[in-house]
Amino acid sequence: PALALVADPTAAGSASQTAALASERLERMASTLAALPVKLRYPPRRYQDSRPGNTLRESSPEMRTPPPTTSRKPLIIEIVDEDVTPSAPEDEKAAQPETSTSGREDEYLSVASIAALAAAAYVSGAELHGVDALPGWSSLSAATAARALLQRAFGSETERALSDTLDEQARENLARCLGESAPVLAHCLACAPEPRWGAEPEEDDRREPRPPAPELPPELAEAAQLASAESALVAATRLRRLIEMAGYPWIGRIEGVVSRVVPCVLRAMDHKNASVRREGCAALVAFVASVTRTELRWHGAALLDAAASTLSASTPEVFGTAAAAHVRTALAVCSDDTRDPGLMTAFTAILDAANSRGHEPEVAAAWVAEVPPLIAALKLSVASHLDRLFPPLLSWLHARDDAVACGAASCLELACRMTWPRVPSRAASLWPDVARAYAEADARGVADELRTELERLVAVLQLAAGDAFEAVWSRSKNEPVPSELEPLIAYLESLPAREERAEWTVPS
């Protein structure tokens, strides 16, 4: 149903019927999984494509290891199967024969992973700069049924109550399902190569090399449906939801999940479709929040390069999630040193977007919401870019969007606080825009909040610049000023006066 709804825009009118059908199917799947034994209901410990199989080369007599020629007695080794599921109740253990393998050797995806993929396409997630919490083909009833399916399939026996929060056992099982279904998601996210001229290189040499993605077996890849924009969007949505639901620390704790998920995220961010790229950026935001810096050490360069490429080529509807992915990936990968070149490169790229695309409302809204943590991480290192940082922020003080105006005032206060030794030479140029924004705040719905942010800004300027800033706003008292500006001047006059530091002398 999701593919039909995405492929045909006119099918949006039947979204409610499609979601109702999906909700019914999810409820039936939950009832079916509840009747299965625990060994079938939980995902395997090892992935099918990484299990050592009994190939012909291993069974060939030429490749057999010759018996030892020494006189020592042979060492008996007990081989323990690592594909052990969590402990099941005693009655289920007694009902199952000991020699049963449940048919998993012939399955590429377990029943648990199929259920996780089905539920992840309809469950609700977090909102992020235009990415809705609920997919367009889902509904509240379908999301509730998907959440109930996940809790019933993967939750513990003692915590089967329907709730919005999954327990730890369910999150661990979802992380295993995410690692097992990575080849399927990577296949759906694959892009067809673009047509190129004969002498044109196939790939851009300036791009960081991408890690290899897990692949389906050749017989399955040939029989599977070819990747399309619709299937890629559904796969990116499933990828993001599974990452959000598994979360920290299970994605990094389960062996092999990180190395299998990163190529899928990169494929989603490099996709030609804008909606897929937006979901890929949202998946990267959820991914870097679910792992530690140590777990990202082998993939940091590729993730930073993909985030920067997506940001520079993003459309207005993608810029919000691209900016979030760019900033949060840089903070997650780079060190805490304020002079880290990775942090400065990320700040330079996002500052270029503010100066070249600051007139776009989507760019301004995302910029003031995502960049403050990066400014706080760089601290005084931002001082070398104040000449390019202040103009877009001052223009956003007069934006029509109230959230953008308040965010710009907060960013200005943070930047002045982080770079206060360099503020005195620029404090005088800030006063006209600050005074105008304060006087025009009555026309906004958040007048009190905006004026509070501006008062904090002028307090920092007064403390950092001293006489240089006081001489500017003091001239306003001798000129006719709007009545709306009088409270701000009164607030500045009420601030404690600066004490002149006496000249230091060498004690005798």
Side-chain angles (χ1 to χ4, degrees):
L3 293 178
L5 184 61
V6 175
D8 186 8
T10 60
S14 62
S16 58
Q17 293 84 353
T18 304
L21 178 62
S23 177
E24 180 181 356
R25 292 178 177 177
L26 290 172
E27 291 175 356
R28 291 180 180 178
M29 185 178 291
S31 302
T32 303
L33 288 177
L36 294 177
V38 177
K39 190 172 183 179
L40 279 178
R41 193 167 63 236
Y42 285 165
R45 295 279 177 172
R46 299 174 63 183
Y47 309 124
Q48 180 70 18
D49 58 347
S50 61
R51 290 179 183 173
N54 296 325
T55 61
L56 179 62
R57 187 177 63 90
E58 294 175 349
S59 59
S60 176
E62 290 82 7
M63 301 300 296
R64 291 178 182 175
T65 304
T69 57
T70 59
S71 59
R72 297 179 58 183
K73 294 182 179 181
L75 179 63
I76 300 177
I77 301 177
E78 180 182 1
I79 301 178
V80 180
D81 186 11
E82 296 182 1
D83 188 10
V84 181
T85 56
S87 58
E90 295 297 333
D91 53 351
E92 293 186 3
K93 289 183 179 179
Q96 298 179 5
E98 295 181 359
T99 59
S100 174
T101 59
S102 304
R104 279 195 171 176
E105 295 299 331
D106 299 332
E107 296 177 354
Y108 188 80
L109 275 183
S110 62
V111 177
S113 297
I114 296 175
L117 288 175
Y122 294 93
V123 75
S124 60
E127 295 183 3
L128 181 68
H129 297 295
V131 180
D132 298 331
L134 205 62
W137 56 79
S138 183
S139 65
L140 293 178
S141 60
T144 303
R147 183 74 63 169
L149 169 62
L150 295 174
Q151 186 65 42
R152 183 175 297 181
F154 305 124
S156 60
E157 297 291 338
T158 59
E159 299 183 10
R160 287 290 178 84
L162 301 181
S163 61
D164 294 337
T165 304
L166 297 174
D167 54 32
E168 294 299 317
Q169 184 174 354
R171 293 172 58 204
E172 179 184 1
N173 291 325
L174 283 174
R176 298 186 185 278
C177 292
L178 176 60
E180 186 185 18
S181 57
V184 178
L185 297 174
H187 173 78
C188 296
L189 291 169
C191 293
E194 298 181 359
R196 299 177 182 274
W197 296 101
E200 188 177 0
E202 296 183 359
E203 295 183 358
D204 190 355
D205 297 334
R206 296 172 298 177
R207 197 176 72 170
E208 290 290 336
R210 301 292 192 252
E215 298 180 356
L216 291 173
E219 60 275 8
L220 290 181
E222 294 176 359
Q225 182 183 5
L226 295 178
S228 61
E230 293 80 16
S231 62
L233 178 58
V234 177
T237 303
R238 286 170 168 168
L239 175 65
R240 177 196 172 200
R241 296 296 191 272
L242 287 175
I243 293 175
E244 289 178 348
M245 290 185 294
Y248 177 84
W250 296 112
I251 291 182
R253 183 174 296 180
I254 304 300
E255 182 181 0
V257 174
V258 172
S259 59
R260 296 167 71 88
V261 170
V262 167
C264 299
V265 175
L266 294 176
R267 282 193 176 185
M269 296 181 66
D270 294 338
H271 204 273
K272 295 179 293 185
N273 186 273
S275 300
V276 179
R277 289 199 305 270
R278 186 172 59 180
E279 286 289 343
C281 292
L284 178 57
V285 170
F287 178 72
V288 297
S290 304
V291 293
T292 62
R293 186 174 297 167
T294 304
E295 295 161 353
L296 286 174
R297 62 188 182 276
W298 301 114
H299 309 286
L303 292 175
L304 285 175
D305 179 74
S309 301
T310 308
L311 178 70
S312 61
S314 60
T315 56
E317 59 270 14
V318 181
F319 183 86
T321 52
H326 182 73
V327 172
R328 301 185 191 186
T329 303
L331 295 175
V333 173
C334 301
S335 64
D336 296 332
D337 188 1
T338 58
R339 297 168 295 180
D340 191 303
L343 292 177
M344 185 54 65
T345 302
F347 181 73
T348 304
I350 200 75
L351 188 58
D352 291 340
N355 284 273
S356 60
R357 304 176 59 182
H359 59 281
E360 301 177 11
E362 297 85 359
V363 173
W367 208 98
V368 298
E370 296 296 337
V371 178
L374 187 57
I375 296 177
L378 286 170
K379 295 182 173 61
L380 190 57
S381 300
V382 183
S384 58
H385 299 279
L386 289 181
D387 291 336
R388 301 175 59 212
L389 176 62
F390 282 159
L393 291 177
L394 292 175
S395 65
W396 292 337
L397 286 178
H398 318 294
R400 294 183 179 181
D401 190 355
D402 295 341
V404 173
C406 293
S410 178
C411 285
L412 279 170
E413 186 267 337
L414 176 62
C416 292
R417 182 155 44 87
M418 293 292 104
T419 62
W420 64 268
R422 302 292 183 88
V423 168
S425 60
R426 297 174 175 85
S429 62
L430 302 180
W431 172 250
D433 289 283
V434 173
R436 176 188 166 190
Y438 192 92
E440 297 175 352
D442 285 337
R444 300 184 180 274
V446 290
D448 296 337
E449 182 181 354
L450 177 58
R451 284 177 172 168
T452 301
E453 294 290 345
L454 293 175
E455 289 175 358
R456 294 175 56 188
L457 171 60
V458 296
V460 173
L461 291 174
Q462 178 69 23
L463 182 62
D467 297 338
F469 184 66
E470 185 174 358
V472 177
W473 65 262
S474 296
R475 287 197 297 266
S476 300
K477 297 188 297 183
N478 303 326
E479 301 174 357
V481 296
S483 58
E484 295 84 356
L485 191 58
E486 294 178 358
L488 181 60
I489 296 178
Y491 174 77
L492 288 170
E493 291 177 343
S494 65
L495 294 177
R498 286 172 56 96
E499 295 183 2
E500 296 294 338
R501 181 178 298 177
E503 184 177 357
W504 184 80
T505 59
V506 180
S508 57

